[in-house]
Amino acid sequence: MNFKPAPVLENETERLKAVDRTGVMYLDQDDLYEIFCFLAKELTGCSLSWTGLIDEKNQYCLANDGLPKEIGKILPRQQTFCQYALSRTEPLIVEDMQKDKRFKNHPFVEDGFIKFYGGFPIVTGDGYTLGTLCVGDSKVKKLSKKKVQLMIGLTAKLSYQLQIQENFRNKNAENLIVILEKISKKIDNISTNETKVILKFFLDHTLSKSDNNLLIEKKIANKFGDDLRITEFGNLLKNDLSLNIGVLKRVKNLTSKDFNLTKMFEEISGT
């Protein structure tokens, strides 16, 4: 392939840290971002739209509208159009990619799959470009100033959503740390896995037989027929933790069976 990758950015180290902080790389959460791709197509009249973030190796597609399934969600960074948009905060719009020396040798351009490209940088509040919200078409196109401004506004909304999600995750971590500290003060020599079992019980998750035995051993619950009933000590501990647990449960996509305690524990421990 004669397509040449873009130069590495001067602020790449800090930009990668900003990408990591979003916590969305390599997660299947298309339903959160599909609306942005749909609206991008509607606003521009293009046949394709996709959005993704770029780390040191890959572009990870958060969602798309119109791309063939065989392209997949992960594309090596050096094979992407969007790597060229990372060095800027303003849109990268190429009306005819076959005439642009940066893109004319890309396989997707050479075979006519895409001729028009519009990459709108997803920029953080402190100025780092995380990735792009893109539109593309198999025909040469020109976007009006109004459409460009509408796309800039839509991309800003996407950046804001990513920031809100990051803030929620940080709040989750803070609350989980408080929970861990409170439980360790109430129960001596308790492990991380044992703490997870107690939280699963308080959050009404499905428990295994060994989980039940642990809860009885730690005096969190008593056997009552085939069921478990919370003890007075367990109830006092649950009430002490209720505010922090309530914050965790209210976060979108972390409630009920989707509440991934294991992932949260891994995130705050850095494992």
Side-chain angles (χ1 to χ4, degrees), residues 23-268:
V24 301
M25 289 292 288
Y26 308 110
L27 297 180
D28 289 328
Q29 297 179 323
D30 297 55
D31 57 320
L32 296 179
Y33 310 106
E34 286 172 345
I35 184 63
F36 292 98
C37 296
F38 170 78
L39 290 174
K41 286 178 61 177
E42 290 293 305
L43 290 175
T44 62
C46 290
S47 58
L48 307 170
S49 178
W50 65 97
T51 184
L53 306 190
I54 298 178
D55 64 15
E56 68 274 22
K57 293 182 179 180
N58 300 309
Q59 179 180 48
Y60 181 72
C61 185
L62 300 174
N64 82 83
D65 191 335
L67 291 180
K69 288 185 178 181
E70 56 266 25
I71 289 180
K73 294 180 69 66
I74 298 174
L75 192 65
R77 173 174 171 162
Q78 294 190 344
Q79 297 178 22
T80 67
F81 304 137
C82 304
Q83 60 182 303
Y84 280 94
L86 296 179
S87 61
R88 53 201 296 142
T89 57
E90 69 275 10
L92 173 60
I93 298 174
V94 185
E95 296 175 359
D96 188 349
M97 301 183 79
Q98 293 180 331
K99 294 181 179 179
D100 190 296
K101 64 180 182 180
R102 293 167 296 181
F103 302 111
K104 65 181 182 180
N105 293 320
H106 193 285
F108 287 171
V109 177
E110 289 181 330
D111 67 12
F113 174 69
I114 186 168
K115 290 184 179 178
F116 169 82
Y117 169 79
F120 294 80
I122 302 169
V123 184
T124 65
D126 45 2
Y128 297 111
T129 299
L130 304 173
T132 50
L133 174 61
C134 304
V135 287
D137 206 288
S138 59
K139 299 177 182 179
V140 174
K141 293 181 72 73
K142 183 178 179 67
L143 295 183
S144 68
K145 290 183 179 180
K146 181 177 181 180
K147 289 181 178 180
V148 170
Q149 288 304 311
L150 288 172
M151 281 295 299
I152 291 173
L154 181 63
T155 308
K157 295 292 185 184
L158 174 53
S159 178
Y160 179 71
Q161 177 168 322
L162 290 169
Q163 182 62 60
I164 291 297
Q165 290 171 222
E166 180 183 332
N167 292 342
F168 271 132
R169 273 186 291 273
N170 291 341
K171 186 64 176 176
N172 283 346
E174 291 170 4
N175 278 280
L176 192 52
I177 289 169
V178 171
I179 287 171
L180 291 171
E181 290 174 346
K182 287 183 176 180
I183 292 178
S184 64
K185 288 179 180 178
K186 298 287 186 180
I187 305 174
D188 294 332
N189 301 317
I190 187 166
S191 70
T192 299
N193 284 334
E194 290 171 340
T195 301
K196 284 192 284 187
V197 172
I198 292 172
L199 288 180
K200 284 166 64 179
F201 178 59
F202 290 162
L203 290 163
D204 297 321
H205 287 202
T206 302
L207 300 170
S208 67
K209 185 176 180 180
S210 61
D211 290 340
N212 291 343
N213 291 336
L214 174 70
L215 294 167
I216 295 170
E217 176 190 335
K218 298 298 183 182
K219 298 180 171 55
I220 300 296
N222 284 329
K223 190 77 171 175
F224 187 77
D226 293 330
D227 298 320
L228 284 183
R229 292 189 68 178
I230 193 167
T231 62
E232 181 179 354
F233 170 68
N235 203 41
L236 289 171
L237 179 59
K238 183 178 181 180
N239 287 335
D240 192 27
L241 301 176
S242 61
L243 176 61
N244 304 97
I245 292 176
V247 171
L248 296 178
K249 289 182 71 174
R250 285 195 294 272
V251 178
K252 181 177 175 61
N253 286 336
L254 288 178
T255 57
S256 186
K257 64 182 180 181
D258 295 323
F259 186 89
N260 194 331
L261 282 173
T262 299
K263 180 171 176 57
M264 292 186 64
F265 273 84
E266 290 174 349
E267 287 177 352
I268 68 168

